[in-house]
Amino acid sequence: MNAAAVPLLLTGIALLAVLVALRGVGYAVQASPVAGQLVTIYRLVAALLVLRLIGSMVAGFAAGLVTVAIMLIAAWLPLAGLRLVEELTRRHAPRLVKLWALGGALGFSVIGLTFGIVWSAAALVSLALFQAITVAIMLVLITQRRSGLPRSERATADTFLVALAATIPLALTDFEALAPGLTLRGGVLAVLLLVLATSRLIDSAGAPRRLFADIALCLGGGGLAALGAKGDIAATGFGIALTALALLVERFARRRISDGGLVHAFAMTDASDPEALLASHPLLASGQIIDGDALADYPASAIAALSRYHVVNDATQDEEARDAARDLLDAHAATHLVRLASQPPRFLAVSAGSFAAARTSDELIVLARLIERAA
């Protein structure tokens, strides 16, 4: 295979992966700021990959214009990533960090617009260092703030943390000045790793061990491709990239089938049968029943306070119920407690993942009322 065609084919596979993920998370944009920020990042990355493909087909002044556009997007990606970290940790980044990311984006944009056609090696290295330092800051922010998150969201943040840490060395290999003479560069692999990790942000299964399982499958695909091609490094890259693409296609296709919404699931179920209602949707079927001994260690007044509400999450304003609710949610890696019965108290702990929104709470209230009526 022509060595020049290898990065182009890998870039094309990465672009397909980003487009699959973009379509897969698009449904949640109106309901979740995390989803909205993910869509922004996917669009920027997709534009960057398209420009890289175009840049390989043009020359002269047109190639210079493509270079300018690539550098502009690369300069603003760290700021978009920082905004995602803010949404995941539910806290704003420190003012100095925001100024760093915004200043770098503006500064490198000015350099790109003025000297972009003749970017020097020093400017490219500076951009790489700016990106790496910003990612390192994101890692610090997630590490510092993860303990304040509910367990399910903490696992999601940890998944993103692991992916970010792994992308730094991969992305730096894309810069010839930093890593000269490589046959296979890691920038495209870094994109695929981030897309795989962030695809886990929209369900309750986001956890580092699941990301590691995805990585192991991709490495296995690369190993099989290498065996078939007698150890060719390019074949290894193709095997990894194609396996990642297949995982994303399967993941979003499966989620699309099961994501008809809770109300739709209730409409298709016998509303007089509580057990059927609890089995009507994957979100509910994976929930955990909390009753009896699981509630024995809590003050009776706190449980009575919890029982006043159809649905409780960790943002409840009821001080009497708040501590018990947060402790139960954390212990069961859940985002919501659904009241199944008030006497004796019985709850369902469900984890709606990082995309949990007001609509989810409303749908769970409908569930609680249906079960109350059926009891």
Side-chain angles (χ1 to χ4, degrees), residues 85-271:
V85 169
E86 288 184 322
E87 297 296 349
L88 285 173
T89 60
R90 298 187 182 184
R91 290 174 59 187
H92 288 289
R95 183 177 178 82
L96 285 177
V97 172
K98 289 184 176 181
L99 290 175
W100 161 266
L102 179 60
L106 291 172
F108 283 105
S109 294
V110 170
I111 294 174
L113 291 171
T114 53
F115 305 106
I117 297 179
V118 289
W119 269 67
S120 66
L124 288 170
V125 170
S126 297
L127 176 60
L129 290 176
F130 165 66
Q131 292 176 326
I133 291 171
T134 307
V135 170
I137 292 172
M138 294 181 208
L139 294 176
V140 172
L141 290 176
I142 296 174
T143 302
Q144 290 177 337
R145 298 173 176 183
R146 60 180 297 280
S147 60
L149 297 172
R151 185 177 298 179
S152 61
E153 295 185 26
R154 191 185 313 154
T156 299
D158 288 346
T159 302
F160 191 52
L161 182 102
V162 170
L164 277 180
T167 58
I168 294 178
L170 287 173
L172 289 178
T173 64
D174 252 18
F175 294 86
E176 177 70 26
L178 295 177
L182 291 182
T183 303
L184 179 65
R185 299 195 175 274
V188 168
L189 300 181
V191 168
L192 290 167
L193 176 60
L194 272 178
V195 173
L196 276 175
T198 52
S199 72
R200 290 288 191 189
L201 302 187
I202 68 173
D203 57 26
S204 57
R209 60 185 176 82
R210 294 184 180 274
L211 176 59
F212 289 139
D214 288 344
I215 293 172
L217 286 173
C218 291
L219 292 177
L224 290 175
L227 286 175
K230 299 180 180 179
D232 182 66
I233 188 66
T236 304
F238 286 128
I240 292 173
L242 288 172
T243 304
L245 177 60
L247 284 174
L248 288 166
V249 170
E250 187 273 338
R251 181 168 302 156
F252 286 114
R254 174 163 37 87
R255 185 173 294 118
R256 189 176 183 86
I257 291 171
S258 66
D259 195 52
L262 292 175
V263 172
H264 174 74
F266 301 155
M268 305 298 292
T269 305
D270 180 3

Side-chain angles (χ1 to χ4, degrees), residues 57 68 233 251 303 345:
M57 304 173 190
V68 171
I233 188 66
R251 181 168 302 156
I303 300 303

